[in-house]
Amino acid sequence: MPLMRIKDAASFLGVSDDTVRRWVDSGALEAGSDEAGRMVVDGYRVALLARDQAHAVADPSGVGRSARNRFVGLVTDIKRDTVMAQVEMQCGPFRVVSLMSSEAVDDLALELGSVAIAVVKSTTVIVETPQGAS
């Protein structure tokens, strides 16, 4: 069971340290102590709480598709030349960048501030861990 300090749990949950402490006091999260006597929480329980607390913007397209990874967001940058474009979106806390034709940008009428949906369908997902993680 990976343990994490209160400040790290707060960072992953997008809340203050005090909020995490209140959740511990209310029983929403169970806490213990590490070898240095600092309050720690179970990383898996934090992950479950993060999943339960997540609020994705609903997909407004009404389109059915097989891809499960859909990120609704706002276009924050468009870099384009005559053939290709790089479109950057802010989807909740995530920055998503797509390379597409400049023609596709025009066809989709993308502009700064447009609502757009990034759809990711991939057979390769790379998972990494921080250095020193065990």
Side-chain angles (χ1 to χ4, degrees):
M1 158 175 84
L3 299 175
M4 73 175 49
R5 293 176 59 188
I6 297 296
K7 71 175 187 142
D8 297 326
S11 177
F12 281 108
L13 294 166
V15 297
S16 70
D17 297 10
D18 288 337
T19 297
V20 174
R21 286 187 188 92
R22 281 193 293 275
W23 286 341
V24 168
D25 291 343
S26 72
L29 270 177
E30 189 175 319
S33 296
D34 66 8
E35 59 280 348
R38 295 175 297 218
M39 187 184 300
V40 291
V41 292
D42 177 357
Y44 178 62
R45 296 291 173 202
V46 171
L48 293 177
L49 186 56
R51 184 182 63 192
D52 293 343
Q53 298 278 328
H55 298 287
V57 175
D59 183 341
S61 69
V63 174
R65 59 180 70 86
S66 64
R68 297 290 172 242
N69 301 310
R70 291 181 284 223
F71 305 98
V72 179
L74 299 170
V75 175
T76 56
D77 193 24
I78 300 173
K79 295 180 178 123
R80 64 185 294 163
D81 62 23
T82 56
V83 177
M84 293 300 294
Q86 176 180 306
V87 177
E88 182 175 313
M89 297 171 53
Q90 192 65 38
C91 302
F94 302 104
R95 175 179 170 255
V96 178
V97 178
S98 176
L99 300 176
M100 65 183 73
S101 69
S102 292
E103 181 179 2
V105 171
D106 294 337
D107 289 348
L108 294 169
L110 294 178
E111 59 185 12
L112 299 180
S114 294
V115 173
I117 304 155
V119 179
V120 179
K121 177 88 174 182
S122 176
T123 57
T124 303
V125 175
I126 298 168
V127 176
E128 300 176 337
T129 58
Q131 271 187 320
S134 55

